[in-house]
Amino acid sequence: WRATGKHRAKFSRGSRQCSAAHVKRGVAVTAAHCVHKFGKGQAGYASQIQFWPAQYGDTVPYGVWRGRYWIVPPSYFHGGDTCEPGAAGIVCNNDLALVVLHQETGKWAGEVLGFYGYGWNGYGFAANPVWGGRTTAQVAQLGYPEAPEDGKTQFRTDSVAT
């Protein structure tokens, strides 16, 4: 749970807060819409990012890590990503960003928090006879939904992914 936190991104006009997960020593993953304005190219990037791991209310027990740099996929950067109608930039196939963090007090975030593993191309999915042979996997999500706690409390949900 402590490798999950919130990214706070500052833009020229306003800010955004989103859930983020730490996946390597100094790298966190979040949604692209948290760090970039869809299709705005270089001008779409946030000017500053902070990672607040394991936030609970107004408490940040593991400190704050500053973003060093952040990137989004080219399709998101240029605005050519496939998105749901009426949700361009938010519900898109490539709404994903990597944030490389600075060391704080001489340590990488992963040295203090630990980090999650990751997989791709169906890693962890298997044919499931209960679901008629469909390929499924057990998925746990950690994040900070705006409701019911105004994004200040971490929640976990468990589900089957197909």
Side-chain angles (χ1 to χ4, degrees):
W1 62 270
R2 68 181 182 232
T4 298
K6 288 179 75 173
H7 272 154
R8 296 173 188 266
K10 185 177 184 180
F11 290 87
S12 59
R13 293 184 179 172
S15 63
R16 294 181 185 162
Q17 297 182 39
C18 294
S19 299
H22 198 202
V23 295
K24 292 196 78 121
R25 245 177 26 149
V27 179
V29 174
T30 192
H33 71 263
C34 297
V35 302
H36 190 273
K37 293 183 178 178
F38 182 69
K40 298 295 184 185
Q42 195 62 36
Y45 280 113
S47 60
Q48 177 185 6
I49 294 181
Q50 296 179 329
F51 178 53
W52 295 37
Q55 178 181 351
Y56 182 73
D58 294 325
T59 304
V60 185
Y62 297 98
V64 176
W65 270 264
R66 295 171 294 121
R68 191 166 149 197
Y69 61 90
W70 36 99
I71 57 173
V72 298
S75 61
Y76 196 92
F77 182 87
H78 295 294
D81 198 0
T82 305
C83 304
E84 288 293 317
I90 298 174
V91 185
C92 303
N93 288 334
N94 294 292
D95 187 8
L96 179 72
L98 295 178
V99 178
V100 176
L101 304 167
H102 283 285
Q103 287 184 332
E104 299 295 338
T105 62
K107 293 187 178 187
W108 295 104
E111 294 174 311
V112 176
L113 308 169
F115 48 86
Y116 298 107
Y118 56 94
W120 59 91
N121 291 336
Y123 178 82
F125 283 77
N128 186 334
V130 174
W131 288 71
R134 290 175 67 188
T135 304
T136 64
Q138 176 67 31
V139 176
Q141 296 178 324
L142 295 171
Y144 293 84
E146 285 300 313
E149 301 288 330
D150 292 327
K152 292 185 176 185
T153 302
Q154 188 180 112
F155 283 80
R156 175 183 169 149
T157 59
D158 294 277
S159 182
V160 174
T162 59

